[in-house]
Amino acid sequence: MMEAKPNTIYRALDRKAAAITEFTMRQYRTKASTWVVLGVGLVAISLVMLIYVDVMSTGFESIDNDGDSEDPDGDGYPTGQENKYGTDPYMATSNPGLLTPSIEPEPASNYIDEDGFDISISGTAATQSTGYDDDGDCRESDRTNSQKDTNGNGIVCDIELRYNQYQGDWNIDSDRYVDEDPDDAAYAAEATHMAFVLGIGKMGFVLLLGMFLPLFLATGLIREEMNDGTMHFMLAKPIARTEVFLYRILGYLGIVWPYFIAIGLLFALISGFIGPSDSFFRFQDLGVWLAIIFATMMASFVYGMLFCALGTMWRFGIVLAIPFAAWELGMCIVSMGAPEAAILRFSVIGWALMIVDAAAVIVWPNMELFILQGRTMDDFGLIWSTSNALNFFYSEPGVGGSGLVSAVVATVILLVQGAVFWFVGGAIFKGKEIE
Amino acid sequence: MMPDFDQEGKGETQAWRPDLSAPAVLLEGVSKSYGRIFALSNITMALNGGVTGVLGMNGAGKSTMFKLLMGKLKPSQGKVRLFGTDPWKNPAPYARVGFVPEHEKMYDWMTAHQFVSTFARLNGLTRAEAMLEADRVLNFVGLADVAHKKIGQYSKGMRQRAKIAHALVNDPELIILDEPLQGCDPLARTTIMNVIRELGRMGRTVIVSSHILQEIERITEQIVILHNGRLLALGNLHAIREKLDQIPHRITIEADDAKALAKDVIDMDEVYGISFPDNKNLSIQTHNLGAIHAQLPAAIVNNGHRIHTIDNPDDDLASILGYLTSGGGL
């Protein structure tokens, strides 16, 4: 016989790992059920993507928040223009056309969204005063300084950001006529885009793909072989069962990880081109997308170990996996509303979503103020509703510390969870009698 | 001093060193029970070298014994040792063992070559080594020409041979075959029997199970008989046969004129009874099967009888078992 070359025990381990991993991947490829599960996952998540594409391409209708685009006296001059020249917007015989030199009427659209948003998601909240009076109606020269500084912070025509240390959030207080008619469409597009990225990332990728793919693909990794009797072919060789367990999982990851990466990058590209941006592509979002892909990979790794262990434990392991999946779904919802809840520490999804949250905090550092600015509109319109949607999907990482620290902590804990489930699954498998 | 350039292939680290003094297979007072039902009870035996046939009806405990040996089941009582190591706790001795399970399900989507080479790598072989090894063992079992066909397209006999090839990877010292002949056509049967005999000649320890005495007879003389989980007999088939010759036996002859044949047969010393199950058949009771078989041809030919079949309905596993379990013992 040929002389094998297991010069070190590690090299022999590599060979076994590669053999079973390759075998498992090929086995997946030959099963129709694999393609059905992957296909259904792709279709489901693509439907959400289509909704996003539809919303973004339809666009958002702007609202004239301060009503100065209207022309109540019917003289052809919008209120904003009449205000600017000091004529009476309610009297047709008083309009800028009668001044010398005569002023041509401006289109009403000039007075919609004429005062843009000044709190940007990529800026910082370090300065307590921000804002700029884009249309100049606060800085009118005939106004007194006290009229220009209605928030009383000593700076005229600004927005004051006051940190409330008791409530742990920000108060936004702007001077009158500063940002009084913000750009709804721009805010809504930005907020909707970010809410979509976070929403599809958390619910679509981490929860739906990250959990349901392992549910259908990993539960039978060991169990099906035991039922069929084909496990004897593998276990008749000098290999420990815990090793078989691990390498089968590696084979499973070899199928689902490339799938996640491919779909994640595809979605990052689509949303990057479609999303609102100054340049042709939203490069800043890539960080969040990479975190979403990574979190999905980690979740599928931990769930794979767990579901495979449950399948090994009991012939109907999927029955045990379903209540767990329901628990994780609940935890996913909890993490959106209360990311600091202690109960989340006893879930997998809580930690996986923390990776996404951490990336969002790093990439969009001013998100809290951005959301707050929209929510203080109190008009229950476009800004308010998109801001609420964004607020639902965005949460600060619950462990405190910086985004990077949270991401590292969450990753380490997920790895530990996966390792624990591996040991448990391996121990269960070791104790199983195989008929 | 010159460095040792020829280090390649001379591994010093070996995870497990076989106990060379230990027998290949050792069972000591082994029982396996499922609740109150004993699949095996108090089996003690040691096997080393040669081909051993394990005989038993379906459900006698043959597969249970093999799975205990392969560490797939945990004994309820007693000690199982494979090359001196407990196979339930340590998979290392499988490096020296090949196992052909009874299960019919295989990976139908693989070719036999892929099947054998993939699992050969679990012995620590590299991909290239595993390919060569697969070529070797598939050639040994006579599947070389169809090695690259999908197992799903194989006949029953070819599938069994693919399983045997899988077991022969890494040239094991002990090969355990669970019902390798079941469901095979006569040609495949012969091929597989030749393979098993060849392995025996090569000095391997082979354990092969069957529920058909004639199959085992063609392979080996050393047999183990299991019945209802108990070890009934362990030894040479001829010794068992000789004992069998002394117990009551029946010979059934289908003849044109059964009554006329009866007259010629009744005079033989060893015949102690005759009956007619129906018009065409004659049934002879005897204690000495061998003597009757020696005299019968002459009696038939000399008296011009036309006969169609001669059958020993008792000369099978069931009758041996019946005799052994009725307190005869060996």
Side-chain angles (χ1 to χ4, degrees):
Chain A
M1 91 146 240
M2 203 168 17
E3 186 60 47
K5 293 174 188 165
N7 301 334
T8 69
I9 194 165
Y10 301 107
R11 194 167 296 174
L13 279 179
D14 293 348
R15 290 170 188 164
K16 293 180 193 179
I20 293 191
T21 305
E22 274 177 34
F23 166 76
T24 305
M25 288 173 64
R26 292 173 71 167
Q27 193 181 25
Y28 270 123
R29 290 210 299 269
T30 60
K31 280 187 187 163
S33 59
T34 309
W35 299 107
V36 170
V37 171
L38 295 184
V40 167
L42 179 61
V43 168
I45 205 157
S46 298
L47 286 177
V48 185
M49 189 70 191
L50 283 180
I51 294 172
Y52 163 80
V53 171
D54 182 51
V55 167
M56 282 295 166
S57 55
T58 312
F60 299 91
E61 199 184 333
S62 275
I63 298 167
D64 179 21
N65 301 71
D66 56 358
D68 62 357
S69 69
E70 284 158 32
D71 182 14
D73 54 4
D75 57 6
Y77 290 86
T79 307
Q81 197 181 5
E82 296 215 33
N83 282 342
K84 204 151 100 186
Y85 294 98
T87 56
D88 187 344
Y90 297 100
M91 201 194 280
T93 53
S94 162
N95 65 53
L98 303 173
L99 302 173
T100 39
S102 174
I103 308 290
E104 287 297 304
E106 290 179 45
S109 61
N110 280 9
Y111 292 93
I112 299 175
D113 297 347
E114 74 276 20
D115 210 357
F117 267 105
D118 291 306
I119 297 175
S120 130
I121 46 148
S122 48
T124 60
T127 52
Q128 301 293 302
S129 169
T130 182
Y132 181 73
D133 178 28
D134 303 72
D135 55 354
D137 54 359
C138 175
R139 290 176 278 112
E140 292 282 334
S141 52
D142 58 344
R143 303 180 76 221
T144 63
N145 270 359
S146 64
Q147 282 174 320
K148 293 177 184 173
D149 184 18
T150 50
N151 60 20
N153 67 341
I155 303 167
V156 296
C157 294
D158 79 328
I159 298 173
E160 184 197 13
L161 304 174
R162 221 176 18 250
Y163 188 74
N164 184 331
Q165 62 189 46
Y166 300 108
Q167 291 177 350
D169 58 11
W170 294 84
N171 290 335
I172 298 181
D173 196 358
S174 59
D175 288 333
R176 204 153 174 247
Y177 297 134
V178 174
D179 287 2
E180 79 282 11
D181 186 8
D183 189 345
D184 313 70
Y187 186 95
E190 183 73 30
T192 306
H193 171 82
M194 290 189 293
F196 163 78
V197 171
L198 289 173
I200 201 173
K202 288 177 167 186
M203 306 280 285
F205 275 85
V206 181
L207 183 74
L208 187 89
L209 296 183
M211 184 163 71
F212 284 93
L213 254 56
L215 189 64
F216 293 112
L217 294 180
T219 313
L221 265 178
I222 300 288
R223 170 52 65 183
E224 275 172 23
E225 301 287 305
M226 280 166 73
N227 286 353
D228 289 350
T230 41
M231 186 52 90
H232 286 290
F233 295 122
M234 230 175 280
L235 292 187
K237 301 293 176 188
I239 183 166
R241 294 193 191 181
T242 324
E243 274 184 81
V244 172
F245 191 98
L246 177 66
Y247 303 155
R248 291 285 281 170
I249 290 284
L250 291 183
Y252 143 81
L253 294 179
I255 293 289
V256 295
W257 279 10
Y259 172 82
F260 292 147
I261 293 171
I263 296 187
L265 290 180
L266 178 71
F267 278 34
L269 279 180
I270 295 175
S271 74
F273 282 116
I274 291 182
S277 173
D278 295 337
S279 69
F280 69 100
F281 188 78
R282 285 180 66 99
F283 287 103
Q284 72 269 32
D285 289 356
L286 282 179
V288 176
W289 276 109
L290 290 179
I292 289 169
I293 294 170
F294 179 68
T296 312
M297 289 162 71
M298 291 302 294
S300 64
F301 158 73
V302 180
Y303 288 133
M305 286 286 187
L306 173 66
F307 293 152
C308 184
L310 290 177
T312 311
M313 186 161 81
W314 190 34
R315 184 177 290 266
F316 307 104
I318 200 156
V319 175
L320 300 176
I322 285 168
F324 181 82
W327 160 265
E328 290 292 295
L329 176 66
M331 286 302 107
C332 177
I333 306 290
V334 167
S335 87
M336 310 275 184
E340 68 288 337
I343 198 168
L344 287 175
R345 309 293 166 257
F346 300 100
S347 71
V348 177
I349 194 103
W351 295 106
L353 293 184
M354 193 180 287
I355 295 176
V356 179
D357 284 334
V361 164
I362 295 169
V363 172
W364 299 318
N366 218 16
M367 181 70 104
E368 200 187 338
L369 275 171
F370 182 80
I371 293 172
L372 196 60
Q373 192 184 18
R375 297 185 59 173
T376 48
M377 288 298 292
D378 283 336
D379 65 344
F380 303 102
L382 202 54
I383 295 182
W384 186 83
S385 54
T386 52
S387 162
N388 269 321
L390 180 57
N391 188 47
F392 177 72
F393 288 116
Y394 172 84
S395 25
E396 307 248 311
V399 289
S402 73
L404 193 61
V405 170
S406 306
V408 171
V409 167
T411 305
V412 168
I413 289 189
L414 286 167
L415 285 173
V416 170
Q417 284 179 335
V420 167
F421 290 139
W422 171 38
F423 283 124
V424 170
I428 293 171
F429 188 26
K430 248 184 181 171
K432 276 282 163 195
E433 299 196 321
I434 296 164
E435 291 295 335
Chain B
M1 200 174 130
M2 286 291 289
D4 181 8
F5 286 115
D6 299 328
Q7 282 182 10
E8 202 188 19
K10 293 180 185 171
E12 308 84 9
T13 42
Q14 201 169 357
W16 177 78
R17 289 194 181 278
D19 179 358
L20 294 173
S21 62
V25 167
L26 178 70
L27 297 169
E28 260 184 44
V30 172
S31 298
K32 178 68 195 172
S33 58
Y34 297 95
R36 282 199 208 149
I37 299 157
F38 273 81
L40 272 187
S41 62
N42 202 18
I43 304 282
T44 299
M45 68 164 123
L47 297 174
N48 205 18
V51 181
T52 305
V54 177
L55 266 174
M57 314 288 275
N58 290 327
K62 306 185 296 285
S63 293
T64 304
M65 187 173 93
F66 289 169
K67 284 170 191 160
L68 281 166
L69 283 175
M70 289 308 293
K72 302 292 164 275
L73 299 178
K74 191 185 178 191
S76 306
Q77 272 166 18
K79 203 167 92 173
V80 178
R81 292 290 177 269
L82 204 57
F83 297 104
T85 306
D86 184 350
W88 175 252
K89 293 191 175 142
N90 187 354
Y94 304 151
R96 301 167 74 194
V97 182
F99 178 51
V100 179
E102 62 178 335
H103 297 274
E104 292 191 9
K105 188 116 181 190
M106 291 178 77
Y107 300 115
D108 288 348
W109 47 273
M110 295 178 111
T111 69
H113 196 269
Q114 290 168 342
F115 172 64
V116 173
S117 61
T118 298
F119 292 106
R121 290 160 68 190
L122 300 187
N123 280 309
L125 303 185
T126 63
R127 203 185 302 262
E129 287 167 339
M131 294 284 187
L132 288 173
E133 181 70 354
D135 288 338
R136 183 186 73 83
V137 290
L138 286 167
N139 189 40
F140 188 81
V141 298
L143 284 181
D145 48 339
V146 288
H148 295 282
K149 263 192 174 176
K150 292 251 162 65
I151 293 176
Q153 301 166 352
Y154 276 15
S155 69
K156 186 79 213 299
M158 290 155 87
R159 292 164 76 90
Q160 288 291 6
R161 280 188 277 162
K163 278 157 73 175
I164 294 172
H166 162 268
L168 294 181
V169 163
N170 212 23
D171 206 10
E173 290 157 61
L174 167 67
I175 300 120
I176 298 175
L177 304 99
D178 199 352
E179 298 273 5
L181 301 169
Q182 197 167 33
C184 292
D185 56 277
L187 192 64
R189 225 170 256 261
T190 309
T191 317
I192 293 173
M193 285 179 186
N194 287 339
V195 165
I196 296 171
R197 278 196 294 259
E198 178 65 23
L199 288 169
R201 272 198 290 277
M202 287 159 70
R204 307 287 177 267
T205 306
V206 183
I207 307 178
V208 52
S209 78
S210 173
H211 59 280
I212 299 165
L213 177 63
Q214 284 76 11
E215 286 179 356
I216 293 294
E217 255 183 322
R218 285 178 60 188
I219 299 171
T220 181
E221 294 180 351
Q222 190 185 342
I223 63 165
V224 170
I225 301 179
L226 287 178
H227 185 59
N228 288 340
R230 287 184 300 130
L231 181 64
L232 278 188
L234 191 160
N236 189 293
L237 186 60
H238 290 307
I240 297 172
R241 284 230 156 224
E242 258 168 46
K243 292 275 187 183
L244 284 176
D245 281 350
Q246 330 247 321
I247 63 172
H249 265 280
R250 271 188 307 143
I251 301 172
T252 308
I253 303 171
E254 189 187 348
D256 281 351
D257 190 352
K259 295 233 164 75
L261 178 61
K263 280 182 196 155
D264 296 319
V265 169
I266 196 83
D267 296 335
M268 294 179 190
D269 290 340
E270 287 79 7
V271 175
Y272 72 89
I274 272 179
S275 62
F276 299 96
D278 54 58
N279 279 342
K280 291 269 176 197
N281 282 296
L282 167 69
S283 178
I284 306 169
Q285 279 98 49
T286 176
H287 282 291
N288 192 338
L289 210 56
I292 298 291
H293 275 300
Q295 297 173 43
L296 207 52
I300 292 166
V301 173
N302 292 346
N303 298 299
H305 295 294
R306 286 176 56 83
I307 62 147
H308 301 285
T309 57
I310 301 179
D311 196 16
N312 298 14
D314 293 343
D315 189 19
D316 59 8
L317 185 58
S319 69
I320 297 178
L321 291 173
Y323 170 64
L324 292 171
T325 49
S326 65
L330 283 172

